[in-house]
PDB file of all heavy atoms in Angstrom:
ATOM      1  N   PHE A 291      10.729  -0.769  -1.791  1.00 93.00           N
ATOM      2  CA  PHE A 291      11.509  -1.533  -2.758  1.00 93.00           C
ATOM      3  C   PHE A 291      12.844  -0.818  -2.908  1.00 93.00           C
ATOM      4  O   PHE A 291      12.897   0.328  -3.353  1.00 93.00           O
ATOM      5  CB  PHE A 291      10.759  -1.645  -4.079  1.00 93.00           C
ATOM      6  CG  PHE A 291       9.445  -2.349  -3.899  1.00 93.00           C
ATOM      7  CD1 PHE A 291       8.286  -1.628  -3.713  1.00 93.00           C
ATOM      8  CD2 PHE A 291       9.383  -3.734  -3.874  1.00 93.00           C
ATOM      9  CE1 PHE A 291       7.068  -2.270  -3.509  1.00 93.00           C
ATOM     10  CE2 PHE A 291       8.167  -4.383  -3.672  1.00 93.00           C
ATOM     11  CZ  PHE A 291       7.014  -3.648  -3.495  1.00 93.00           C
ATOM     12  N   ALA A 292      13.902  -1.487  -2.499  1.00 90.00           N
ATOM     13  CA  ALA A 292      15.216  -0.857  -2.466  1.00 90.00           C
ATOM     14  C   ALA A 292      16.200  -1.661  -3.299  1.00 90.00           C
ATOM     15  O   ALA A 292      16.180  -2.896  -3.292  1.00 90.00           O
ATOM     16  CB  ALA A 292      15.711  -0.760  -1.019  1.00 90.00           C
ATOM     17  N   GLU A 293      17.046  -0.938  -3.998  1.00 86.00           N
ATOM     18  CA  GLU A 293      18.079  -1.586  -4.789  1.00 86.00           C
ATOM     19  C   GLU A 293      19.016  -2.354  -3.856  1.00 86.00           C
ATOM     20  O   GLU A 293      19.389  -1.862  -2.781  1.00 86.00           O
ATOM     21  CB  GLU A 293      18.851  -0.524  -5.579  1.00 86.00           C
ATOM     22  CG  GLU A 293      19.766  -1.090  -6.609  1.00 86.00           C
ATOM     23  CD  GLU A 293      20.439  -0.010  -7.444  1.00 86.00           C
ATOM     24  OE1 GLU A 293      20.039   1.166  -7.360  1.00 86.00           O
ATOM     25  OE2 GLU A 293      21.365  -0.359  -8.177  1.00 86.00           O
ATOM     26  N   ASN A 294      19.396  -3.545  -4.257  1.00 84.00           N
ATOM     27  CA  ASN A 294      20.277  -4.381  -3.461  1.00 84.00           C
ATOM     28  C   ASN A 294      21.730  -3.970  -3.735  1.00 84.00           C
ATOM     29  O   ASN A 294      22.410  -4.534  -4.579  1.00 84.00           O
ATOM     30  CB  ASN A 294      20.055  -5.853  -3.815  1.00 84.00           C
ATOM     31  CG  ASN A 294      20.709  -6.776  -2.804  1.00 84.00           C
ATOM     32  OD1 ASN A 294      21.351  -6.332  -1.867  1.00 84.00           O
ATOM     33  ND2 ASN A 294      20.552  -8.060  -3.015  1.00 84.00           N
ATOM     34  N   ARG A 295      22.153  -2.904  -3.023  1.00 86.00           N
ATOM     35  CA  ARG A 295      23.504  -2.386  -3.180  1.00 86.00           C
ATOM     36  C   ARG A 295      23.975  -1.798  -1.851  1.00 86.00           C
ATOM     37  O   ARG A 295      23.170  -1.480  -0.972  1.00 86.00           O
ATOM     38  CB  ARG A 295      23.561  -1.330  -4.280  1.00 86.00           C
ATOM     39  CG  ARG A 295      22.728  -0.117  -3.987  1.00 86.00           C
ATOM     40  CD  ARG A 295      22.966   1.012  -4.975  1.00 86.00           C
ATOM     41  NE  ARG A 295      22.008   2.078  -4.795  1.00 86.00           N
ATOM     42  CZ  ARG A 295      21.998   2.931  -3.766  1.00 86.00           C
ATOM     43  NH1 ARG A 295      22.894   2.834  -2.822  1.00 86.00           N
ATOM     44  NH2 ARG A 295      21.084   3.868  -3.678  1.00 86.00           N
ATOM     45  N   LYS A 296      25.273  -1.646  -1.745  1.00 88.00           N
ATOM     46  CA  LYS A 296      25.880  -1.095  -0.539  1.00 88.00           C
ATOM     47  C   LYS A 296      25.297   0.284  -0.232  1.00 88.00           C
ATOM     48  O   LYS A 296      25.206   1.144  -1.102  1.00 88.00           O
ATOM     49  CB  LYS A 296      27.387  -0.992  -0.735  1.00 88.00           C
ATOM     50  CG  LYS A 296      28.126  -0.474   0.466  1.00 88.00           C
ATOM     51  CD  LYS A 296      29.611  -0.431   0.180  1.00 88.00           C
ATOM     52  CE  LYS A 296      30.373   0.138   1.353  1.00 88.00           C
ATOM     53  NZ  LYS A 296      31.816   0.177   1.093  1.00 88.00           N
ATOM     54  N   GLY A 297      24.863   0.489   1.009  1.00 89.00           N
ATOM     55  CA  GLY A 297      24.385   1.788   1.472  1.00 89.00           C
ATOM     56  C   GLY A 297      22.905   2.047   1.276  1.00 89.00           C
ATOM     57  O   GLY A 297      22.386   3.058   1.757  1.00 89.00           O
ATOM     58  N   SER A 298      22.206   1.162   0.593  1.00 90.00           N
ATOM     59  CA  SER A 298      20.791   1.383   0.298  1.00 90.00           C
ATOM     60  C   SER A 298      19.944   1.478   1.576  1.00 90.00           C
ATOM     61  O   SER A 298      19.123   2.380   1.718  1.00 90.00           O
ATOM     62  CB  SER A 298      20.274   0.261  -0.605  1.00 90.00           C
ATOM     63  OG  SER A 298      18.951   0.479  -0.961  1.00 90.00           O
ATOM     64  N   MET A 299      20.148   0.572   2.494  1.00 91.00           N
ATOM     65  CA  MET A 299      19.381   0.583   3.743  1.00 91.00           C
ATOM     66  C   MET A 299      19.715   1.826   4.569  1.00 91.00           C
ATOM     67  O   MET A 299      18.845   2.463   5.139  1.00 91.00           O
ATOM     68  CB  MET A 299      19.668  -0.697   4.542  1.00 91.00           C
ATOM     69  CG  MET A 299      18.906  -0.820   5.815  1.00 91.00           C
ATOM     70  SD  MET A 299      17.155  -1.103   5.515  1.00 91.00           S
ATOM     71  CE  MET A 299      16.566  -1.203   7.178  1.00 91.00           C
ATOM     72  N   ARG A 300      20.994   2.181   4.592  1.00 94.00           N
ATOM     73  CA  ARG A 300      21.399   3.354   5.358  1.00 94.00           C
ATOM     74  C   ARG A 300      20.760   4.621   4.810  1.00 94.00           C
ATOM     75  O   ARG A 300      20.405   5.523   5.566  1.00 94.00           O
ATOM     76  CB  ARG A 300      22.925   3.503   5.381  1.00 94.00           C
ATOM     77  CG  ARG A 300      23.376   4.611   6.356  1.00 94.00           C
ATOM     78  CD  ARG A 300      24.680   5.266   5.968  1.00 94.00           C
ATOM     79  NE  ARG A 300      24.855   5.518   4.563  1.00 94.00           N
ATOM     80  CZ  ARG A 300      24.351   6.584   3.902  1.00 94.00           C
ATOM     81  NH1 ARG A 300      23.604   7.474   4.514  1.00 94.00           N
ATOM     82  NH2 ARG A 300      24.584   6.745   2.610  1.00 94.00           N
ATOM     83  N   GLU A 301      20.588   4.718   3.503  1.00 96.00           N
ATOM     84  CA  GLU A 301      19.932   5.891   2.915  1.00 96.00           C
ATOM     85  C   GLU A 301      18.504   6.037   3.449  1.00 96.00           C
ATOM     86  O   GLU A 301      18.052   7.145   3.726  1.00 96.00           O
ATOM     87  CB  GLU A 301      19.918   5.784   1.390  1.00 96.00           C
ATOM     88  CG  GLU A 301      21.282   5.952   0.766  1.00 96.00           C
ATOM     89  CD  GLU A 301      21.303   5.634  -0.718  1.00 96.00           C
ATOM     90  OE1 GLU A 301      20.232   5.385  -1.311  1.00 96.00           O
ATOM     91  OE2 GLU A 301      22.408   5.630  -1.292  1.00 96.00           O
ATOM     92  N   ILE A 302      17.832   4.923   3.597  1.00 96.00           N
ATOM     93  CA  ILE A 302      16.467   4.937   4.136  1.00 96.00           C
ATOM     94  C   ILE A 302      16.480   5.381   5.594  1.00 96.00           C
ATOM     95  O   ILE A 302      15.735   6.280   5.994  1.00 96.00           O
ATOM     96  CB  ILE A 302      15.802   3.557   3.984  1.00 96.00           C
ATOM     97  CG1 ILE A 302      15.591   3.237   2.493  1.00 96.00           C
ATOM     98  CG2 ILE A 302      14.491   3.488   4.759  1.00 96.00           C
ATOM     99  CD1 ILE A 302      15.234   1.795   2.214  1.00 96.00           C
ATOM    100  N   THR A 303      17.338   4.761   6.389  1.00 96.00           N
ATOM    101  CA  THR A 303      17.370   5.092   7.816  1.00 96.00           C
ATOM    102  C   THR A 303      17.849   6.524   8.050  1.00 96.00           C
ATOM    103  O   THR A 303      17.363   7.198   8.956  1.00 96.00           O
ATOM    104  CB  THR A 303      18.229   4.098   8.619  1.00 96.00           C
ATOM    105  OG1 THR A 303      19.582   4.119   8.136  1.00 96.00           O
ATOM    106  CG2 THR A 303      17.663   2.687   8.533  1.00 96.00           C
ATOM    107  N   GLU A 304      18.775   6.987   7.230  1.00 97.00           N
ATOM    108  CA  GLU A 304      19.250   8.372   7.372  1.00 97.00           C
ATOM    109  C   GLU A 304      18.140   9.367   7.065  1.00 97.00           C
ATOM    110  O   GLU A 304      17.967  10.364   7.782  1.00 97.00           O
ATOM    111  CB  GLU A 304      20.450   8.610   6.463  1.00 97.00           C
ATOM    112  CG  GLU A 304      21.030  10.009   6.595  1.00 97.00           C
ATOM    113  CD  GLU A 304      22.302  10.163   5.793  1.00 97.00           C
ATOM    114  OE1 GLU A 304      22.238  10.052   4.547  1.00 97.00           O
ATOM    115  OE2 GLU A 304      23.351  10.388   6.419  1.00 97.00           O
ATOM    116  N   LEU A 305      17.376   9.112   6.014  1.00 97.00           N
ATOM    117  CA  LEU A 305      16.264   9.993   5.651  1.00 97.00           C
ATOM    118  C   LEU A 305      15.257  10.077   6.801  1.00 97.00           C
ATOM    119  O   LEU A 305      14.812  11.161   7.180  1.00 97.00           O
ATOM    120  CB  LEU A 305      15.587   9.490   4.378  1.00 97.00           C
ATOM    121  CG  LEU A 305      14.393  10.290   3.877  1.00 97.00           C
ATOM    122  CD1 LEU A 305      14.801  11.718   3.516  1.00 97.00           C
ATOM    123  CD2 LEU A 305      13.767   9.589   2.679  1.00 97.00           C
ATOM    124  N   LEU A 306      14.927   8.940   7.369  1.00 98.00           N
ATOM    125  CA  LEU A 306      13.965   8.928   8.482  1.00 98.00           C
ATOM    126  C   LEU A 306      14.556   9.586   9.724  1.00 98.00           C
ATOM    127  O   LEU A 306      13.886  10.376  10.393  1.00 98.00           O
ATOM    128  CB  LEU A 306      13.506   7.499   8.769  1.00 98.00           C
ATOM    129  CG  LEU A 306      12.775   6.805   7.611  1.00 98.00           C
ATOM    130  CD1 LEU A 306      12.439   5.372   7.973  1.00 98.00           C
ATOM    131  CD2 LEU A 306      11.536   7.565   7.193  1.00 98.00           C
ATOM    132  N   THR A 307      15.812   9.297  10.006  1.00 97.00           N
ATOM    133  CA  THR A 307      16.491   9.904  11.162  1.00 97.00           C
ATOM    134  C   THR A 307      16.544  11.420  11.048  1.00 97.00           C
ATOM    135  O   THR A 307      16.234  12.138  12.007  1.00 97.00           O
ATOM    136  CB  THR A 307      17.923   9.347  11.296  1.00 97.00           C
ATOM    137  OG1 THR A 307      17.854   7.945  11.534  1.00 97.00           O
ATOM    138  CG2 THR A 307      18.675  10.013  12.439  1.00 97.00           C
ATOM    139  N   ASN A 308      16.927  11.900   9.882  1.00 98.00           N
ATOM    140  CA  ASN A 308      17.049  13.345   9.679  1.00 98.00           C
ATOM    141  C   ASN A 308      15.710  14.063   9.770  1.00 98.00           C
ATOM    142  O   ASN A 308      15.673  15.289   9.898  1.00 98.00           O
ATOM    143  CB  ASN A 308      17.707  13.650   8.338  1.00 98.00           C
ATOM    144  CG  ASN A 308      19.177  13.303   8.335  1.00 98.00           C
ATOM    145  OD1 ASN A 308      19.792  13.107   9.374  1.00 98.00           O
ATOM    146  ND2 ASN A 308      19.752  13.202   7.145  1.00 98.00           N
ATOM    147  N   ASN A 309      14.625  13.313   9.714  1.00 98.00           N
ATOM    148  CA  ASN A 309      13.286  13.894   9.822  1.00 98.00           C
ATOM    149  C   ASN A 309      12.582  13.463  11.107  1.00 98.00           C
ATOM    150  O   ASN A 309      11.353  13.505  11.203  1.00 98.00           O
ATOM    151  CB  ASN A 309      12.466  13.536   8.585  1.00 98.00           C
ATOM    152  CG  ASN A 309      12.934  14.319   7.386  1.00 98.00           C
ATOM    153  OD1 ASN A 309      12.498  15.444   7.179  1.00 98.00           O
ATOM    154  ND2 ASN A 309      13.859  13.753   6.612  1.00 98.00           N
ATOM    155  N   SER A 310      13.371  13.037  12.080  1.00 98.00           N
ATOM    156  CA  SER A 310      12.892  12.686  13.427  1.00 98.00           C
ATOM    157  C   SER A 310      11.790  11.632  13.420  1.00 98.00           C
ATOM    158  O   SER A 310      10.853  11.692  14.221  1.00 98.00           O
ATOM    159  CB  SER A 310      12.415  13.939  14.164  1.00 98.00           C
ATOM    160  OG  SER A 310      13.458  14.867  14.267  1.00 98.00           O
ATOM    161  N   LEU A 311      11.914  10.659  12.538  1.00 98.00           N
ATOM    162  CA  LEU A 311      10.971   9.536  12.496  1.00 98.00           C
ATOM    163  C   LEU A 311      11.624   8.338  13.157  1.00 98.00           C
ATOM    164  O   LEU A 311      12.773   7.987  12.852  1.00 98.00           O
ATOM    165  CB  LEU A 311      10.572   9.224  11.052  1.00 98.00           C
ATOM    166  CG  LEU A 311       9.662  10.285  10.441  1.00 98.00           C
ATOM    167  CD1 LEU A 311       9.743  10.279   8.926  1.00 98.00           C
ATOM    168  CD2 LEU A 311       8.233  10.070  10.905  1.00 98.00           C
ATOM    169  N   ASN A 312      10.900   7.709  14.049  1.00 96.00           N
ATOM    170  CA  ASN A 312      11.436   6.606  14.823  1.00 96.00           C
ATOM    171  C   ASN A 312      11.018   5.267  14.212  1.00 96.00           C
ATOM    172  O   ASN A 312       9.834   5.024  13.967  1.00 96.00           O
ATOM    173  CB  ASN A 312      10.936   6.700  16.274  1.00 96.00           C
ATOM    174  CG  ASN A 312      11.728   5.845  17.217  1.00 96.00           C
ATOM    175  OD1 ASN A 312      12.755   5.286  16.879  1.00 96.00           O
ATOM    176  ND2 ASN A 312      11.238   5.743  18.447  1.00 96.00           N
ATOM    177  N   ILE A 313      11.980   4.402  13.984  1.00 95.00           N
ATOM    178  CA  ILE A 313      11.724   3.060  13.458  1.00 95.00           C
ATOM    179  C   ILE A 313      11.514   2.123  14.640  1.00 95.00           C
ATOM    180  O   ILE A 313      12.400   1.964  15.484  1.00 95.00           O
ATOM    181  CB  ILE A 313      12.899   2.570  12.594  1.00 95.00           C
ATOM    182  CG1 ILE A 313      13.100   3.503  11.413  1.00 95.00           C
ATOM    183  CG2 ILE A 313      12.663   1.129  12.144  1.00 95.00           C
ATOM    184  CD1 ILE A 313      14.389   3.247  10.638  1.00 95.00           C
ATOM    185  N   TYR A 314      10.333   1.492  14.688  1.00 93.00           N
ATOM    186  CA  TYR A 314      10.043   0.520  15.742  1.00 93.00           C
ATOM    187  C   TYR A 314      10.517  -0.871  15.364  1.00 93.00           C
ATOM    188  O   TYR A 314      10.897  -1.660  16.219  1.00 93.00           O
ATOM    189  CB  TYR A 314       8.541   0.460  16.020  1.00 93.00           C
ATOM    190  CG  TYR A 314       7.955   1.715  16.619  1.00 93.00           C
ATOM    191  CD1 TYR A 314       6.678   2.120  16.287  1.00 93.00           C
ATOM    192  CD2 TYR A 314       8.659   2.492  17.530  1.00 93.00           C
ATOM    193  CE1 TYR A 314       6.115   3.255  16.836  1.00 93.00           C
ATOM    194  CE2 TYR A 314       8.099   3.634  18.081  1.00 93.00           C
ATOM    195  CZ  TYR A 314       6.824   4.007  17.733  1.00 93.00           C
ATOM    196  OH  TYR A 314       6.268   5.132  18.274  1.00 93.00           O
ATOM    197  N   CYS A 315      10.450  -1.183  14.100  1.00 93.00           N
ATOM    198  CA  CYS A 315      10.786  -2.532  13.649  1.00 93.00           C
ATOM    199  C   CYS A 315      11.207  -2.455  12.193  1.00 93.00           C
ATOM    200  O   CYS A 315      10.630  -1.695  11.420  1.00 93.00           O
ATOM    201  CB  CYS A 315       9.555  -3.422  13.807  1.00 93.00           C
ATOM    202  SG  CYS A 315       9.838  -5.131  13.331  1.00 93.00           S
ATOM    203  N   ALA A 316      12.207  -3.235  11.826  1.00 93.00           N
ATOM    204  CA  ALA A 316      12.660  -3.292  10.441  1.00 93.00           C
ATOM    205  C   ALA A 316      13.030  -4.717  10.092  1.00 93.00           C
ATOM    206  O   ALA A 316      13.635  -5.431  10.893  1.00 93.00           O
ATOM    207  CB  ALA A 316      13.869  -2.378  10.237  1.00 93.00           C
ATOM    208  N   ILE A 317      12.644  -5.116   8.896  1.00 92.00           N
ATOM    209  CA  ILE A 317      13.025  -6.430   8.390  1.00 92.00           C
ATOM    210  C   ILE A 317      13.277  -6.282   6.897  1.00 92.00           C
ATOM    211  O   ILE A 317      12.604  -5.496   6.229  1.00 92.00           O
ATOM    212  CB  ILE A 317      11.956  -7.506   8.684  1.00 92.00           C
ATOM    213  CG1 ILE A 317      12.458  -8.879   8.276  1.00 92.00           C
ATOM    214  CG2 ILE A 317      10.641  -7.171   8.030  1.00 92.00           C
ATOM    215  CD1 ILE A 317      11.631 -10.028   8.825  1.00 92.00           C
ATOM    216  N   THR A 318      14.255  -6.989   6.391  1.00 90.00           N
ATOM    217  CA  THR A 318      14.561  -6.923   4.972  1.00 90.00           C
ATOM    218  C   THR A 318      14.526  -8.315   4.358  1.00 90.00           C
ATOM    219  O   THR A 318      14.856  -9.301   5.008  1.00 90.00           O
ATOM    220  CB  THR A 318      15.952  -6.307   4.714  1.00 90.00           C
ATOM    221  OG1 THR A 318      16.948  -7.137   5.309  1.00 90.00           O
ATOM    222  CG2 THR A 318      16.051  -4.911   5.269  1.00 90.00           C
ATOM    223  N   ASN A 319      14.103  -8.354   3.113  1.00 83.00           N
ATOM    224  CA  ASN A 319      14.149  -9.564   2.297  1.00 83.00           C
ATOM    225  C   ASN A 319      14.859  -9.160   1.024  1.00 83.00           C
ATOM    226  O   ASN A 319      14.553  -8.108   0.461  1.00 83.00           O
ATOM    227  CB  ASN A 319      12.742 -10.058   1.950  1.00 83.00           C
ATOM    228  CG  ASN A 319      11.922 -10.367   3.171  1.00 83.00           C
ATOM    229  OD1 ASN A 319      12.155  -9.860   4.244  1.00 83.00           O
ATOM    230  ND2 ASN A 319      10.939 -11.208   3.003  1.00 83.00           N
ATOM    231  N   ASP A 320      15.770  -9.985   0.557  1.00 73.00           N
ATOM    232  CA  ASP A 320      16.500  -9.572  -0.637  1.00 73.00           C
ATOM    233  C   ASP A 320      16.335 -10.554  -1.783  1.00 73.00           C
ATOM    234  O   ASP A 320      15.913 -11.686  -1.602  1.00 73.00           O
ATOM    235  CB  ASP A 320      17.981  -9.354  -0.328  1.00 73.00           C
ATOM    236  CG  ASP A 320      18.735 -10.648  -0.076  1.00 73.00           C
ATOM    237  OD1 ASP A 320      18.093 -11.662   0.246  1.00 73.00           O
ATOM    238  OD2 ASP A 320      19.961 -10.643  -0.197  1.00 73.00           O
ATOM    239  N   SER A 321      16.640 -10.046  -2.950  1.00 73.00           N
ATOM    240  CA  SER A 321      16.751 -10.859  -4.146  1.00 73.00           C
ATOM    241  C   SER A 321      18.023 -10.380  -4.840  1.00 73.00           C
ATOM    242  O   SER A 321      18.764  -9.579  -4.279  1.00 73.00           O
ATOM    243  CB  SER A 321      15.520 -10.692  -5.037  1.00 73.00           C
ATOM    244  OG  SER A 321      15.427  -9.369  -5.506  1.00 73.00           O
ATOM    245  N   ALA A 322      18.253 -10.812  -6.041  1.00 70.00           N
ATOM    246  CA  ALA A 322      19.509 -10.467  -6.716  1.00 70.00           C
ATOM    247  C   ALA A 322      19.675  -8.960  -6.903  1.00 70.00           C
ATOM    248  O   ALA A 322      20.748  -8.416  -6.652  1.00 70.00           O
ATOM    249  CB  ALA A 322      19.586 -11.182  -8.050  1.00 70.00           C
ATOM    250  N   GLU A 323      18.625  -8.269  -7.343  1.00 76.00           N
ATOM    251  CA  GLU A 323      18.773  -6.857  -7.664  1.00 76.00           C
ATOM    252  C   GLU A 323      18.048  -5.915  -6.711  1.00 76.00           C
ATOM    253  O   GLU A 323      18.483  -4.798  -6.494  1.00 76.00           O
ATOM    254  CB  GLU A 323      18.285  -6.608  -9.091  1.00 76.00           C
ATOM    255  CG  GLU A 323      19.150  -7.306 -10.128  1.00 76.00           C
ATOM    256  CD  GLU A 323      18.677  -7.053 -11.539  1.00 76.00           C
ATOM    257  OE1 GLU A 323      17.947  -6.066 -11.751  1.00 76.00           O
ATOM    258  OE2 GLU A 323      19.037  -7.839 -12.421  1.00 76.00           O
ATOM    259  N   TYR A 324      16.915  -6.356  -6.172  1.00 82.00           N
ATOM    260  CA  TYR A 324      16.125  -5.504  -5.287  1.00 82.00           C
ATOM    261  C   TYR A 324      15.728  -6.276  -4.035  1.00 82.00           C
ATOM    262  O   TYR A 324      15.639  -7.494  -4.044  1.00 82.00           O
ATOM    263  CB  TYR A 324      14.861  -4.989  -5.990  1.00 82.00           C
ATOM    264  CG  TYR A 324      15.164  -3.912  -6.986  1.00 82.00           C
ATOM    265  CD1 TYR A 324      15.471  -4.212  -8.303  1.00 82.00           C
ATOM    266  CD2 TYR A 324      15.168  -2.578  -6.600  1.00 82.00           C
ATOM    267  CE1 TYR A 324      15.783  -3.222  -9.221  1.00 82.00           C
ATOM    268  CE2 TYR A 324      15.474  -1.572  -7.510  1.00 82.00           C
ATOM    269  CZ  TYR A 324      15.778  -1.902  -8.816  1.00 82.00           C
ATOM    270  OH  TYR A 324      16.083  -0.912  -9.699  1.00 82.00           O
ATOM    271  N   GLY A 325      15.479  -5.529  -3.003  1.00 88.00           N
ATOM    272  CA  GLY A 325      14.985  -6.110  -1.777  1.00 88.00           C
ATOM    273  C   GLY A 325      13.761  -5.351  -1.312  1.00 88.00           C
ATOM    274  O   GLY A 325      13.445  -4.278  -1.824  1.00 88.00           O
ATOM    275  N   ILE A 326      13.074  -5.934  -0.355  1.00 92.00           N
ATOM    276  CA  ILE A 326      11.937  -5.260   0.265  1.00 92.00           C
ATOM    277  C   ILE A 326      12.310  -4.978   1.714  1.00 92.00           C
ATOM    278  O   ILE A 326      12.697  -5.877   2.450  1.00 92.00           O
ATOM    279  CB  ILE A 326      10.663  -6.125   0.213  1.00 92.00           C
ATOM    280  CG1 ILE A 326      10.292  -6.420  -1.235  1.00 92.00           C
ATOM    281  CG2 ILE A 326       9.511  -5.418   0.938  1.00 92.00           C
ATOM    282  CD1 ILE A 326       9.131  -7.391  -1.374  1.00 92.00           C
ATOM    283  N   VAL A 327      12.207  -3.715   2.070  1.00 95.00           N
ATOM    284  CA  VAL A 327      12.437  -3.292   3.453  1.00 95.00           C
ATOM    285  C   VAL A 327      11.060  -3.028   4.043  1.00 95.00           C
ATOM    286  O   VAL A 327      10.298  -2.219   3.512  1.00 95.00           O
ATOM    287  CB  VAL A 327      13.298  -2.007   3.506  1.00 95.00           C
ATOM    288  CG1 VAL A 327      13.482  -1.553   4.950  1.00 95.00           C
ATOM    289  CG2 VAL A 327      14.629  -2.219   2.811  1.00 95.00           C
ATOM    290  N   ARG A 328      10.720  -3.731   5.111  1.00 96.00           N
ATOM    291  CA  ARG A 328       9.440  -3.520   5.778  1.00 96.00           C
ATOM    292  C   ARG A 328       9.712  -2.834   7.102  1.00 96.00           C
ATOM    293  O   ARG A 328      10.533  -3.289   7.895  1.00 96.00           O
ATOM    294  CB  ARG A 328       8.718  -4.847   5.973  1.00 96.00           C
ATOM    295  CG  ARG A 328       8.297  -5.457   4.654  1.00 96.00           C
ATOM    296  CD  ARG A 328       7.423  -6.687   4.850  1.00 96.00           C
ATOM    297  NE  ARG A 328       6.838  -7.079   3.598  1.00 96.00           N
ATOM    298  CZ  ARG A 328       7.261  -8.102   2.855  1.00 96.00           C
ATOM    299  NH1 ARG A 328       8.283  -8.835   3.254  1.00 96.00           N
ATOM    300  NH2 ARG A 328       6.659  -8.389   1.717  1.00 96.00           N
ATOM    301  N   LEU A 329       8.990  -1.718   7.325  1.00 97.00           N
ATOM    302  CA  LEU A 329       9.205  -0.909   8.523  1.00 97.00           C
ATOM    303  C   LEU A 329       7.899  -0.640   9.256  1.00 97.00           C
ATOM    304  O   LEU A 329       6.870  -0.393   8.624  1.00 97.00           O
ATOM    305  CB  LEU A 329       9.795   0.456   8.152  1.00 97.00           C
ATOM    306  CG  LEU A 329      11.116   0.520   7.424  1.00 97.00           C
ATOM    307  CD1 LEU A 329      11.437   1.967   7.061  1.00 97.00           C
ATOM    308  CD2 LEU A 329      12.224  -0.067   8.262  1.00 97.00           C
ATOM    309  N   LEU A 330       7.979  -0.639  10.558  1.00 96.00           N
ATOM    310  CA  LEU A 330       6.942  -0.071  11.412  1.00 96.00           C
ATOM    311  C   LEU A 330       7.585   1.167  12.025  1.00 96.00           C
ATOM    312  O   LEU A 330       8.673   1.090  12.599  1.00 96.00           O
ATOM    313  CB  LEU A 330       6.513  -1.040  12.512  1.00 96.00           C
ATOM    314  CG  LEU A 330       5.985  -2.403  12.074  1.00 96.00           C
ATOM    315  CD1 LEU A 330       5.581  -3.229  13.289  1.00 96.00           C
ATOM    316  CD2 LEU A 330       4.834  -2.268  11.113  1.00 96.00           C
ATOM    317  N   VAL A 331       6.927   2.307  11.847  1.00 96.00           N
ATOM    318  CA  VAL A 331       7.477   3.578  12.321  1.00 96.00           C
ATOM    319  C   VAL A 331       6.434   4.317  13.156  1.00 96.00           C
ATOM    320  O   VAL A 331       5.256   3.960  13.153  1.00 96.00           O
ATOM    321  CB  VAL A 331       7.941   4.465  11.136  1.00 96.00           C
ATOM    322  CG1 VAL A 331       9.064   3.796  10.364  1.00 96.00           C
ATOM    323  CG2 VAL A 331       6.797   4.796  10.207  1.00 96.00           C
ATOM    324  N   ASP A 332       6.887   5.368  13.835  1.00 95.00           N
ATOM    325  CA  ASP A 332       5.974   6.097  14.707  1.00 95.00           C
ATOM    326  C   ASP A 332       4.970   6.967  13.957  1.00 95.00           C
ATOM    327  O   ASP A 332       3.889   7.224  14.470  1.00 95.00           O
ATOM    328  CB  ASP A 332       6.744   6.924  15.745  1.00 95.00           C
ATOM    329  CG  ASP A 332       7.673   7.966  15.147  1.00 95.00           C
ATOM    330  OD1 ASP A 332       7.986   7.891  13.934  1.00 95.00           O
ATOM    331  OD2 ASP A 332       8.127   8.842  15.904  1.00 95.00           O
ATOM    332  N   GLU A 333       5.296   7.410  12.751  1.00 97.00           N
ATOM    333  CA  GLU A 333       4.387   8.244  11.959  1.00 97.00           C
ATOM    334  C   GLU A 333       4.364   7.713  10.529  1.00 97.00           C
ATOM    335  O   GLU A 333       5.070   8.228   9.654  1.00 97.00           O
ATOM    336  CB  GLU A 333       4.832   9.705  11.978  1.00 97.00           C
ATOM    337  CG  GLU A 333       4.776  10.360  13.342  1.00 97.00           C
ATOM    338  CD  GLU A 333       5.221  11.805  13.283  1.00 97.00           C
ATOM    339  OE1 GLU A 333       4.606  12.585  12.521  1.00 97.00           O
ATOM    340  OE2 GLU A 333       6.198  12.140  13.988  1.00 97.00           O
ATOM    341  N   THR A 334       3.532   6.714  10.295  1.00 97.00           N
ATOM    342  CA  THR A 334       3.525   6.013   9.015  1.00 97.00           C
ATOM    343  C   THR A 334       3.235   6.940   7.844  1.00 97.00           C
ATOM    344  O   THR A 334       3.960   6.921   6.836  1.00 97.00           O
ATOM    345  CB  THR A 334       2.492   4.874   9.047  1.00 97.00           C
ATOM    346  OG1 THR A 334       2.778   4.019  10.163  1.00 97.00           O
ATOM    347  CG2 THR A 334       2.531   4.062   7.771  1.00 97.00           C
TER     348      THR A 334
END
């Protein structure tokens, strides 16, 4: 559950990148204030 604001998705991807976690698939759904980011990663 991520706040719907500039840079929110990048914060997630940066955290995973900096910890050598690979994203296989990503999809986002948004609403006015929050969105849902769904990820498949190599080490859930």
